[in-house]
Amino acid sequence: MLSPLDRRQRLFLPFSRGLSNFSGFRDSLNSESTLVPFFRAPAELFGMTGLTYKDSLRVYPSSCSVYQYWKSESDKRSSYSGTELKSDIYATRSISERMIRKLYNFADYVESNAILPFADSEVAKYFGKVPKRYLLNEKTLENKLILRKLLMDKMDLDSNKIGKMGWSFDSRGIVLKNKEIIYAEVCNCKYWDSVELNLLLNRLYKNVGLNSRKGIVSASLIYRVYLISLWLNHNKYIRAQ
């Protein structure tokens, strides 16, 4: 299926095509900087977030830069339109490894097998041959047109009226209300440089209360470092080593 660019991606992509070549400046940015999206490689704009190389290197001295990888992936798709680029990267990287990977991990945990209908080779071949006009309305940016029509024709279900459904939770509230717990867990992780990590947390926590993108990003980064630290601290396989 085709995935149209959202408003922010339409804003950042033209800048990214040029500014991402300045890797030196990119590597000097703080993770919460509002300039970060402008300097990401085009293929990196679709769900790839986290600490910048500058902060990663300080917290985890063995870090390696991901710039060359994403620059190479972007160059391979230099002739793609924005929609084509997002559809390719978002489906094969973000959705597969950041979202569906959680389902696979849970299935492994309960000794089950996750079966996804759209991963069936025959279904994939079919949709790979469907003309673009049945997949995306480029004027309204409405996608999955053939599925929307099937739902309406077969089930009298208007997906446009229902809208996109999902769930979320207040991760920023968790970060704000559990500061002591987060510091204790993160700073107890032997994989980080504790001094640099403490400095990073202090810097990010100054922004968490801001009613801005910077505040949202800072809270998200703290939450992510906290989850990684939890996993490293309590994973039975790592602890057994």
Side-chain angles (χ1 to χ4, degrees), residues 172-228:
R172 183 149 53 155
I174 294 174
V175 168
L176 282 169
K177 294 175 183 178
N178 295 279
K179 187 174 180 179
E180 291 184 5
I181 295 173
I182 289 174
Y183 265 87
E185 191 69 53
V186 171
C187 293
N188 190 45
C189 183
K190 66 180 181 180
Y191 292 89
W192 315 136
D193 182 310
S194 58
V195 174
E196 290 293 341
L197 184 62
N198 200 63
L199 291 173
L200 175 65
L201 288 177
N202 290 342
R203 193 184 81 210
L204 293 175
Y205 259 108
K206 289 179 180 178
N207 304 320
V208 172
L210 299 177
N211 187 26
S212 65
R213 187 74 186 171
K214 196 171 189 177
I216 295 171
V217 171
S218 295
S220 174
L221 292 171
I222 293 170
Y223 190 64
R224 183 171 301 184
V225 172
Y226 172 59
L227 290 180
I228 294 172

Side-chain angles (χ1 to χ4, degrees), residues 115 125 210:
I115 300 174
K125 285 179 184 178
L210 299 177

Side-chain angles (χ1 to χ4, degrees), residues 56-238:
S56 295
L57 200 59
R58 287 179 172 176
V59 171
Y60 184 64
S62 297
S63 295
C64 60
S65 174
V66 298
Y67 171 73
Q68 288 300 333
Y69 172 79
W70 287 114
K71 179 70 165 59
S72 174
E73 293 298 299
S74 300
D75 289 344
K76 292 175 188 175
R77 300 164 175 80
S78 59
S79 63
Y80 286 21
S81 68
T83 296
E84 291 169 336
L85 177 61
K86 178 180 178 179
S87 300
D88 188 6
I89 295 296
Y90 192 62
T92 61
R93 307 296 199 283
S94 302
I95 294 178
S96 296
E97 294 302 327
R98 288 193 58 190
M99 301 172 193
I100 298 178
R101 174 61 57 190
K102 298 172 186 176
L103 171 63
Y104 284 137
N105 289 347
F106 178 74
D108 286 343
Y109 174 72
V110 296
E111 299 181 350
S112 298
N113 184 28
I115 300 174
L116 304 176
F118 285 96
D120 181 87
S121 60
E122 293 303 315
V123 175
K125 285 179 184 178
Y126 173 81
F127 278 100
K129 295 176 181 177
V130 173
K132 190 175 181 179
R133 66 180 181 276
Y134 295 115
L135 303 177
L136 176 71
N137 184 324
E138 299 200 60
K139 290 184 179 180
T140 63
L141 299 181
E142 190 176 73
N143 65 352
K144 304 183 180 74
L145 298 179
I146 189 172
L147 296 181
R148 294 175 191 270
K149 188 175 187 307
L150 281 171
L151 289 171
M152 178 60 79
D153 293 347
K154 302 297 184 181
M155 301 177 63
D156 196 28
L157 183 64
D158 190 344
S159 59
N160 293 330
K161 287 185 178 179
I162 297 174
K164 190 170 184 178
M165 301 183 72
W167 63 275
S168 62
F169 60 95
D170 183 15
S171 59
R172 183 149 53 155
I174 294 174
V175 168
L176 282 169
K177 294 175 183 178
N178 295 279
K179 187 174 180 179
E180 291 184 5
I181 295 173
I182 289 174
Y183 265 87
E185 191 69 53
V186 171
C187 293
N188 190 45
C189 183
K190 66 180 181 180
Y191 292 89
W192 315 136
D193 182 310
S194 58
V195 174
E196 290 293 341
L197 184 62
N198 200 63
L199 291 173
L200 175 65
L201 288 177
N202 290 342
R203 193 184 81 210
L204 293 175
Y205 259 108
K206 289 179 180 178
N207 304 320
V208 172
L210 299 177
N211 187 26
S212 65
R213 187 74 186 171
K214 196 171 189 177
I216 295 171
V217 171
S218 295
S220 174
L221 292 171
I222 293 170
Y223 190 64
R224 183 171 301 184
V225 172
Y226 172 59
L227 290 180
I228 294 172
S229 300
L230 270 174
W231 185 78
L232 289 170
N233 288 342
H234 301 285
N235 183 289
K236 66 179 182 180
Y237 303 105
I238 294 177

Side-chain angles (χ1 to χ4, degrees), residues 31-48:
S31 301
E32 73 276 20
S33 171
T34 54
L35 294 176
V36 167
F38 291 97
F39 287 87
R40 286 196 181 113
E44 205 176 3
L45 287 172
F46 310 114
M48 302 302 142

